[in-house]
Every structure is written in C-alpha cells, then in structure tokens.
Amino acid sequence: MRERRAEPAGLVHSALFYRSEQEYLDATVPFIADGLDKGQPTIVALPEEKLAAIRDGLGDAAVDVAMTDITEAGRNPNRLLGLLGAFVAEHPGERVRMVGEPVWPSRTADEYPACVRHEALCNTAFAGNEVTGVCLYDAEQLADTVLFDACTTHPLLWRNGTADRSADYAPDAAIARYNQPLPTSADAAAYTVRSLADLTGARAFASRYAGWLGLSQAGIADLQLAVTELATNSLQHAKSHCRLAIWQHNGHLVCQARDRGRFDDPMAGHRLPPGNAITGRGLFLVNTIADLVRTHAAEAGTTIQAYFRLTPSPVMVN
C-alpha cells in the first residue's frame, strides 16, 4: 500500500482485498511502518499466524505496535468496537492507525452478520476521531457476497496503491440487510421474567440447564450474569417482561431474551458508557463475556441471543 495523498483529517475507514500472502504483507507492513514513522499509535488485530508474519516484516519496530489475536479478542465481533474504542481513548488528540481482519475464511455463518454490523458501525463509532483504519479481506477465499458487503460498509477501497471512494457504500443498508429473525429451537427450555423478583429463579433455571449441557463452572457464572443483565434490561428499559429460552446449537449454549421493546440505538452494547452513567452497561457486559451475541430488532420487539462455547466431553478409552 503506497500513500500517494496527504492524510485527510477525521476518520479514514477503508477495505483492502488481498489475494496472496505477499500482497497482504506488501500492503500492511509499509502501512504500519509509515504510521510509526509519523508517531501514530498503532493497533493491529489479526489472526495469530498473520501477526507472526507482521512481526517478522517489521523487525525491531514491532515492539511499538499493539497486537492482538482477533480470533480470540474478536470471536464475538461485538467486542471489537470496545477494544478499538479503548485504544483511541488512550491516545487523545493523536491520530491512531488500525489494521484489522474481522472476517477470516473460517468465520461461521452465525458469526458473520455480527461482523457486517461491526464494520458498518465503525463509521459511526469513530466519526470525528483522528483514525486511519484498514480492514483486510482475503479475496481468494472469501465469498463474493462478503466482498460486496465490505464495499457497502467501507467508504474507501484500496486499489493499485491508492484509496478510492466505494460506489456501493451504504452502511445503514448493510445493517438492515442482516437484521433478520434469528433461528430458534423446538427443544428450547423456557422461562419468563415478569419482575425483578423472578431473577433468582431465572438464574437457577439457566444454571440447571447449563449443567445438563456440560457448560463449565466459569461459563455457568457468565451465563447467570448474562441472564440477569438481559432480563433486567427488558424490565427496566423495554418496560416489558422477558421471555428467556436456552438450547444447544453447534457446540454452544444459546441463551435468548425476547421482549416488546424497541432497539433504537445501534451502538448499544458496543461501547462502554461514560463513567458517570448509571445505565446502559448491561448489553456491553454481555458482549464482553459471551462468545457471540446476535440481535434482531423489529417493530414488535427485540430478540438477543448470547452464545457460550461448550467444552467437549473427554473421550473415554477402555
């Protein structure tokens, strides 16, 4: 990637499609090095094997870059804005560089809609901030629909060493396109929370069902916290009872909360509220502890699903 133009003020959010490891390195290493030369704090969130290649390419300069394995830190895509937002907040008044790869070839169909939502919301989350961000997409392995979605969520696309405007940029339309009803299960166990007095029973219900499925003790504690936060959010903000449901899906325990409230703030749960705020932390906390969070907002109400990974049972050998 060659920066041929003066760096503009404000947010620069771009996508770069690469087709080989060499093309990937030729794009990212000079971009990161250029930021370091300009004294710009830089965060790189990529799969670990790609981080290793970046470290090799940067040499000694790699120690000046904040690096994180996105397959862990961002396995729930809804965590990423909190991570990146915290990095920006650590460097007030400075231009920050970001390199990320939120969609990699092994991303699941369950995770992907949240990836699109994350990319679209970056444009809102960092509007007015001095941020230069590049999001990488493996054009050899990812589907054409994924590449098209990247064109709709990024105002700029890198081509031939320079960034040009994306003719397909439409982040709100991308969010709406993936705001679809969520899958459920006929085998789900259900519990309705009608008042704060029901929360103790809801936590016991969740714990009992999770134990049957083999969720770890730490996972059960996280699930109980998620149940508390989701149900409380329904009672206090949606002014509605909360219909909980729990089932197993693709190696995860799924905890669903449904209410009659309107989900009007797309940024809810993606960034930590100010320190003096007394509300608005519940969904952010759920995003922090869950392995995936999916949301469907409709006129009739809101559905939120929190996923928790189940640890496979050990194989018994006779």
Side-chain angles (χ1 to χ4, degrees):
M1 182 189 303
R2 301 181 303 277
E3 300 215 18
R4 296 177 176 173
R5 302 173 185 171
E7 202 162 15
L11 173 64
V12 180
H13 184 210
S14 60
L16 186 149
F17 302 156
Y18 67 91
R19 291 172 174 79
S20 69
E21 181 177 359
Q22 191 60 52
E23 185 178 0
Y24 156 84
L25 290 173
D26 288 345
T28 54
V29 172
F31 174 77
I32 296 168
D34 180 70
L36 295 177
D37 288 344
K38 294 176 178 176
Q40 297 175 355
T42 301
I43 184 169
V44 177
L46 301 171
E48 179 56 42
E49 66 273 12
K50 300 240 178 110
L51 290 178
I54 293 292
R55 291 188 187 99
D56 289 343
L58 289 173
D60 293 342
V63 299
D64 296 321
V65 180
M67 296 192 186
T68 186
D69 181 357
I70 198 171
T71 63
E72 283 300 318
R75 66 179 180 270
N76 174 11
N78 296 321
R79 293 179 191 165
L80 288 171
L81 280 180
L83 171 71
L84 299 175
F87 187 78
V88 172
E90 290 172 4
H91 303 282
E94 298 181 79
R95 173 161 287 277
V96 168
R97 289 207 176 194
M98 300 177 179
V99 178
E101 191 164 6
V103 184
W104 53 88
S106 60
R107 273 290 198 191
T108 68
D110 292 326
E111 295 166 345
Y112 180 67
C115 296
V116 177
R117 184 179 182 86
H118 160 75
E119 290 280 54
L121 290 178
C122 280
N123 302 290
T124 299
F126 299 117
N129 288 275
E130 296 297 307
V131 172
T132 303
V134 173
C135 302
L136 302 170
Y137 286 81
D138 187 339
E140 282 295 305
Q141 298 192 61
L142 296 174
D144 289 344
T145 54
V146 175
L147 302 182
F148 173 75
D149 287 336
C151 294
T152 68
T153 56
H154 294 80
L156 297 172
L157 302 175
W158 279 97
R159 295 187 179 95
N160 301 319
T162 191
D164 296 314
R165 290 285 171 186
S166 171
D168 298 307
Y169 179 59
D172 291 342
I175 291 175
R177 188 162 60 251
Y178 287 94
N179 181 35
Q180 299 295 325
L182 302 175
T184 58
S185 172
D187 297 325
Y191 190 97
T192 300
V193 178
R194 293 182 172 85
S195 71
L196 293 176
D198 294 326
L199 290 176
T200 299
R203 286 190 290 267
F205 152 77
S207 178
R208 182 169 59 251
Y209 195 87
W212 292 339
L213 292 179
L215 190 64
S216 67
Q217 287 301 310
I220 289 175
D222 285 342
L223 173 63
Q224 290 178 317
L225 182 56
V227 164
T228 300
E229 295 298 338
L230 291 173
T232 301
N233 190 66
S234 294
L235 295 173
Q236 295 184 343
H237 300 294
K239 307 300 181 183
S240 163
H241 63 264
C242 178
R243 290 167 288 174
L244 295 171
I246 296 177
W247 65 89
Q248 185 176 3
H249 171 71
N250 285 350
H252 291 79
L253 179 149
V254 182
C255 175
Q256 175 177 279
R258 297 181 64 190
D259 61 41
R260 295 173 182 164
R262 291 286 302 276
F263 199 78
D264 294 326
D265 180 8
M267 289 298 300
H270 290 273
R271 57 187 174 193
L272 184 65
N276 58 355
I278 59 175
T279 62
R281 297 174 181 269
L283 189 52
F284 182 87
L285 180 58
V286 174
N287 274 322
T288 299
I289 61 178
D291 293 295
L292 175 65
V293 176
R294 304 182 68 185
T295 302
H296 175 235
E299 291 292 329
T302 299
T303 302
I304 299 175
Q305 293 179 351
Y307 285 53
F308 296 87
R309 285 192 293 191
L310 296 167
T311 301
S313 300
V315 176
M316 301 299 295
V317 178
N318 293 329

